[in-house]
Amino acid sequence: MTTQAERVGRAIGLAAGTLGLAVALAAAGLGAQAAQKEESAQKVAAQPAGEKSFTLEGASICQKCHNESDPTTVPEYKQTLGYEFIRLWENKIWGAYDLHSLAYKNLATTEWKNEADEVIARPNVTAVRMETNLRQALRQAGKDDKNYTVAADSRCLACHASAKVPPARALVETKWTAADDYNTDTKDGVGCEMCHGHGSAYRDPHQLSKLDKKSAPPGAIRSVAWREWDPVEKKSKEFGLVNLRDPAVATARCASCHVGNLDEGRFVTHEMYAAGHPPLPPLDLIAYTREQPRHWGLPSEMPYLTGLAKRDAEKAWKVFHYRAGESAVTRRFAESAVATLRANLDLTAQLAADATKTGGGLDFSAFDCYACHHDLKYPSDRQARGYLGPPGRPLFRPAPFALARVVADHAAGLKGGEALSGKAAALFEVEKELARAFGAKTFGDPALIQKAVAKGTGLTDETLAALQKLTYDPTARDGLLAAVEAAARQGADPKAMAVGRLPVADPEVAQLYAWAYETLALDRAGTVVDPKAGPPKPPADVEALHAKLKGFVVTRLRPGAVFYGEQQPKGGLPAPNLESVDRRLQQRMAVFNNFQADPFRRAFAEIGPPKK
C-alpha cells in the first residue's frame, strides 16, 4: 500500500524530474516564447526500437494543399477529383475552430508575443494555478524552481504540443533531462501530425499523381495511387500514416491523451489534478469530433468513396472501413465505444504494472473520480444503485463499461451477431472482477487488477472483431438508438441489475448516454448544415432532450457553440468562438457537479422510445 507520504514524494519527484527539462529548454533558447518562433520541428532523437525515424513536417506544409477556399476551381484537383475524396480545406476549420490548435497556448502563464510584438497568448488561469502549485512542490523539496514553467514541462508538452513519443518509461521514472530527449514543435499546438502520424515519410507519396486514365476514378484524368494503398502498408515502418478511418485506431490515437498512455509519456496523475489540471471528460470519439468540429467528410459525403463502394465493395471496406448503404457514423460509434473501454483497460494495466514495480498502489486517477468527489446525500443515488465491490471503496470508472455493454448487447441481436451472444454479460463479469480487485486493498491489488484486465482486453478484441462482420444499416442504427434510450432510463430493477443493466448513478455515464443519443439521432435525421441558412437546428427529439437535461448533464463540451464547419465554407467562415478555456471549464463543471440521477432517467422516460 502506498502511503500519503510516498504519494507526496512521488509528486515532488515528478515535478523535480521535469525541472531539468525546463532548464535545458531555457538554455537552448526553447522557452515558452522562443518555442513559438520555431520555423520547423526538431529532428527526432530517440525512436522506439525497430521503427524508422519519422519527423514532423509542421502544419505549414500541410496547409499548402489543405487550405483551399474552393478546390473545385484548382486545375490539379479538377484533374484528380481530389475534392471528391477529401475536402481540401481541412486546415481552415482546424485553424478557426479546433481547440487542438490552441493547446500549447493554453499553457501560457505570462503574456506571449511573436516577433512582430503581437500578443499571441494571454495567461491561462488554470496554467498559472498549476505552475504555482508545482513550483511550491519544488521549493518544499529543496529544489530550484526559478526556471520551472508548465510550458516546458515534458508531461504537459506530451499532450499540449506536437511531440514525438518518448521511450517508454514507468510512471516514477519520467525524468527527461535534455531537450534532445523530447522532440516537440509548439507553434502549431496539437497539429495535424499528432493524429495522422509524423509526415516526413508519407508527405511525398500521398500527394503524387500521374496521367493514367485507366487507374483514375470515373471522371478524372489523373490518378493518385496512394488513395487506395493498403492502410497496413501506409502505417508500416516505411511511411507511418495512422489509419484514422478505422474507429479502433482513431480511438486509440485520441485516447493516448484523453484517457492516458504511460508508454507514450501521456498521463494526468492525481497529483497533476490536485495541482489544478481540469478533470478529463469520458472519451466519446464521435461527440469529441463533432465538437472539434469535424473537418473531414463522412464517407457518405465523399463521391469518390460512395462510388468505390459500388465498384469494389471489398476494397472500400479494406481500405476505408466503409460499406455501401451502411451508417458510417453508427459503425464508428459502436466500434469506438468498445475501443474506448480497451484504452481504459490498457492504461489500468500499465498503472498496475507500475504499482507492482514500485510496491505501492495504483495512482488515484485510475479510480472512479466521482466515487470520492460527490456531495454527501441521503438517500444516495449510489446507494440505490448498489455496489459491484465493497461499499465505500473507489472502483474502476463505470462509464466505458456501461456504453460498451449497451453496444455489445444490441449487436448480439443483429443478423450475423451470434458471436456476440453473451459478450455483454461477460464484460459485466469482468467489471465485477475489477471491482473486487480495486476493493481488495485501499489502493487496489495490482496482481488481481492485471488478471481482470487481461480478460477484459481479450473480450474487447473479440467484440471488435465480431462488430466488423455486422452491417449497421438504418434499421440497426435505430435499434441501437432505442437501446441507448432504454439504458438511460433504466431504474433500480434487481433482475435487470443482475445482468448488468444498472441505473445511472454518476454524471460520466449520463454524459455518454446523452451524447450517444444525440449522435445516433443526428445521423437518423441526416441533418445538413447550410452556412447561409443561419444556425443549424437540431432534430426535435435532441432539442427536447437537451432542454430536459439543461443544468445537470453536460450535453456540449463547448456550451453555446454553434459550428458551421461541417459544410464547405463558401463565402467565408463565421467568427470562431473565442471564449476562454477557463470560462468553458467553469460552465462545464458547474453542470457536471449538479448531476441528478432521477431527473436524468425521467428525461429519457418522458421522451420515450425514439420515433421514426
PDB file of all heavy atoms in Angstrom, residues 519-534:
ATOM      1  N   THR A 519     -25.776  11.557 -31.053  1.00  0.00           N
ATOM      2  CA  THR A 519     -25.042  11.061 -32.224  1.00  0.00           C
ATOM      3  C   THR A 519     -25.949  10.273 -33.155  1.00  0.00           C
ATOM      4  O   THR A 519     -25.999  10.510 -34.367  1.00  0.00           O
ATOM      5  CB  THR A 519     -23.870  10.171 -31.773  1.00  0.00           C
ATOM      6  OG1 THR A 519     -22.882  10.990 -31.157  1.00  0.00           O
ATOM      7  CG2 THR A 519     -23.251   9.417 -32.943  1.00  0.00           C
ATOM      8  N   LEU A 520     -26.678   9.318 -32.592  1.00  0.00           N
ATOM      9  CA  LEU A 520     -27.498   8.431 -33.419  1.00  0.00           C
ATOM     10  C   LEU A 520     -28.740   9.137 -33.939  1.00  0.00           C
ATOM     11  O   LEU A 520     -29.186   8.881 -35.064  1.00  0.00           O
ATOM     12  CB  LEU A 520     -27.866   7.189 -32.612  1.00  0.00           C
ATOM     13  CG  LEU A 520     -26.656   6.353 -32.161  1.00  0.00           C
ATOM     14  CD1 LEU A 520     -27.081   5.276 -31.179  1.00  0.00           C
ATOM     15  CD2 LEU A 520     -25.947   5.743 -33.359  1.00  0.00           C
ATOM     16  N   ALA A 521     -29.310  10.050 -33.143  1.00  0.00           N
ATOM     17  CA  ALA A 521     -30.482  10.805 -33.599  1.00  0.00           C
ATOM     18  C   ALA A 521     -30.100  11.771 -34.717  1.00  0.00           C
ATOM     19  O   ALA A 521     -30.859  11.952 -35.681  1.00  0.00           O
ATOM     20  CB  ALA A 521     -31.108  11.560 -32.430  1.00  0.00           C
ATOM     21  N   LEU A 522     -28.945  12.413 -34.610  1.00  0.00           N
ATOM     22  CA  LEU A 522     -28.477  13.299 -35.678  1.00  0.00           C
ATOM     23  C   LEU A 522     -28.239  12.519 -36.959  1.00  0.00           C
ATOM     24  O   LEU A 522     -28.575  12.983 -38.060  1.00  0.00           O
ATOM     25  CB  LEU A 522     -27.191  14.005 -35.253  1.00  0.00           C
ATOM     26  CG  LEU A 522     -27.311  15.143 -34.242  1.00  0.00           C
ATOM     27  CD1 LEU A 522     -25.929  15.606 -33.800  1.00  0.00           C
ATOM     28  CD2 LEU A 522     -28.098  16.307 -34.817  1.00  0.00           C
ATOM     29  N   ASP A 523     -27.675  11.332 -36.832  1.00  0.00           N
ATOM     30  CA  ASP A 523     -27.422  10.513 -38.015  1.00  0.00           C
ATOM     31  C   ASP A 523     -28.734  10.087 -38.667  1.00  0.00           C
ATOM     32  O   ASP A 523     -28.854  10.086 -39.889  1.00  0.00           O
ATOM     33  CB  ASP A 523     -26.603   9.282 -37.624  1.00  0.00           C
ATOM     34  CG  ASP A 523     -26.198   8.464 -38.834  1.00  0.00           C
ATOM     35  OD1 ASP A 523     -25.461   8.992 -39.684  1.00  0.00           O
ATOM     36  OD2 ASP A 523     -26.614   7.299 -38.936  1.00  0.00           O
ATOM     37  N   ARG A 524     -29.708   9.746 -37.837  1.00  0.00           N
ATOM     38  CA  ARG A 524     -31.012   9.347 -38.381  1.00  0.00           C
ATOM     39  C   ARG A 524     -31.686  10.513 -39.101  1.00  0.00           C
ATOM     40  O   ARG A 524     -32.283  10.345 -40.169  1.00  0.00           O
ATOM     41  CB  ARG A 524     -31.910   8.855 -37.248  1.00  0.00           C
ATOM     42  CG  ARG A 524     -33.288   8.379 -37.713  1.00  0.00           C
ATOM     43  CD  ARG A 524     -34.151   7.972 -36.549  1.00  0.00           C
ATOM     44  NE  ARG A 524     -34.345   9.087 -35.625  1.00  0.00           N
ATOM     45  CZ  ARG A 524     -35.044   8.998 -34.499  1.00  0.00           C
ATOM     46  NH1 ARG A 524     -35.564   7.832 -34.149  1.00  0.00           N
ATOM     47  NH2 ARG A 524     -35.196  10.032 -33.719  1.00  0.00           N
ATOM     48  N   ALA A 525     -31.549  11.716 -38.537  1.00  0.00           N
ATOM     49  CA  ALA A 525     -32.189  12.885 -39.137  1.00  0.00           C
ATOM     50  C   ALA A 525     -31.487  13.334 -40.410  1.00  0.00           C
ATOM     51  O   ALA A 525     -32.088  13.997 -41.254  1.00  0.00           O
ATOM     52  CB  ALA A 525     -32.217  14.030 -38.130  1.00  0.00           C
ATOM     53  N   GLY A 526     -30.199  12.951 -40.529  1.00  0.00           N
ATOM     54  CA  GLY A 526     -29.465  13.372 -41.714  1.00  0.00           C
ATOM     55  C   GLY A 526     -29.334  14.876 -41.801  1.00  0.00           C
ATOM     56  O   GLY A 526     -29.471  15.467 -42.871  1.00  0.00           O
ATOM     57  N   THR A 527     -29.087  15.528 -40.684  1.00  0.00           N
ATOM     58  CA  THR A 527     -29.014  16.983 -40.627  1.00  0.00           C
ATOM     59  C   THR A 527     -27.943  17.518 -41.568  1.00  0.00           C
ATOM     60  O   THR A 527     -26.806  17.071 -41.560  1.00  0.00           O
ATOM     61  CB  THR A 527     -28.700  17.455 -39.195  1.00  0.00           C
ATOM     62  OG1 THR A 527     -29.679  16.915 -38.325  1.00  0.00           O
ATOM     63  CG2 THR A 527     -28.726  18.966 -39.104  1.00  0.00           C
ATOM     64  N   VAL A 528     -28.321  18.484 -42.399  1.00  0.00           N
ATOM     65  CA  VAL A 528     -27.388  19.159 -43.287  1.00  0.00           C
ATOM     66  C   VAL A 528     -27.251  20.599 -42.818  1.00  0.00           C
ATOM     67  O   VAL A 528     -28.236  21.313 -42.667  1.00  0.00           O
ATOM     68  CB  VAL A 528     -27.879  19.129 -44.754  1.00  0.00           C
ATOM     69  CG1 VAL A 528     -26.939  19.944 -45.629  1.00  0.00           C
ATOM     70  CG2 VAL A 528     -27.970  17.696 -45.243  1.00  0.00           C
ATOM     71  N   VAL A 529     -26.017  20.996 -42.561  1.00  0.00           N
ATOM     72  CA  VAL A 529     -25.758  22.349 -42.084  1.00  0.00           C
ATOM     73  C   VAL A 529     -25.448  23.242 -43.272  1.00  0.00           C
ATOM     74  O   VAL A 529     -24.532  22.974 -44.030  1.00  0.00           O
ATOM     75  CB  VAL A 529     -24.583  22.370 -41.091  1.00  0.00           C
ATOM     76  CG1 VAL A 529     -24.338  23.774 -40.579  1.00  0.00           C
ATOM     77  CG2 VAL A 529     -24.854  21.421 -39.937  1.00  0.00           C
ATOM     78  N   ASP A 530     -26.237  24.290 -43.461  1.00  0.00           N
ATOM     79  CA  ASP A 530     -26.035  25.240 -44.544  1.00  0.00           C
ATOM     80  C   ASP A 530     -25.542  26.552 -43.951  1.00  0.00           C
ATOM     81  O   ASP A 530     -26.272  27.222 -43.225  1.00  0.00           O
ATOM     82  CB  ASP A 530     -27.341  25.463 -45.297  1.00  0.00           C
ATOM     83  CG  ASP A 530     -27.170  26.407 -46.477  1.00  0.00           C
ATOM     84  OD1 ASP A 530     -26.051  26.937 -46.657  1.00  0.00           O
ATOM     85  OD2 ASP A 530     -28.136  26.627 -47.219  1.00  0.00           O
ATOM     86  N   PRO A 531     -24.287  26.948 -44.234  1.00  0.00           N
ATOM     87  CA  PRO A 531     -23.756  28.171 -43.637  1.00  0.00           C
ATOM     88  C   PRO A 531     -24.585  29.412 -43.940  1.00  0.00           C
ATOM     89  O   PRO A 531     -24.539  30.385 -43.204  1.00  0.00           O
ATOM     90  CB  PRO A 531     -22.359  28.282 -44.269  1.00  0.00           C
ATOM     91  CG  PRO A 531     -22.021  26.896 -44.682  1.00  0.00           C
ATOM     92  CD  PRO A 531     -23.318  26.264 -45.077  1.00  0.00           C
ATOM     93  N   LYS A 532     -25.364  29.388 -45.025  1.00  0.00           N
ATOM     94  CA  LYS A 532     -26.142  30.565 -45.419  1.00  0.00           C
ATOM     95  C   LYS A 532     -27.529  30.591 -44.787  1.00  0.00           C
ATOM     96  O   LYS A 532     -28.251  31.573 -44.901  1.00  0.00           O
ATOM     97  CB  LYS A 532     -26.278  30.606 -46.945  1.00  0.00           C
ATOM     98  CG  LYS A 532     -24.940  30.690 -47.673  1.00  0.00           C
ATOM     99  CD  LYS A 532     -25.146  30.685 -49.172  1.00  0.00           C
ATOM    100  CE  LYS A 532     -23.807  30.747 -49.905  1.00  0.00           C
ATOM    101  NZ  LYS A 532     -23.998  30.708 -51.385  1.00  0.00           N
ATOM    102  N   ALA A 533     -27.894  29.505 -44.110  1.00  0.00           N
ATOM    103  CA  ALA A 533     -29.259  29.402 -43.593  1.00  0.00           C
ATOM    104  C   ALA A 533     -29.368  29.734 -42.104  1.00  0.00           C
ATOM    105  O   ALA A 533     -30.410  29.521 -41.506  1.00  0.00           O
ATOM    106  CB  ALA A 533     -29.796  28.005 -43.852  1.00  0.00           C
ATOM    107  N   GLY A 534     -28.301  30.240 -41.514  1.00  0.00           N
ATOM    108  CA  GLY A 534     -28.349  30.561 -40.091  1.00  0.00           C
ATOM    109  C   GLY A 534     -27.930  29.383 -39.243  1.00  0.00           C
ATOM    110  O   GLY A 534     -27.561  28.327 -39.754  1.00  0.00           O
TER     111      GLY A 534
END
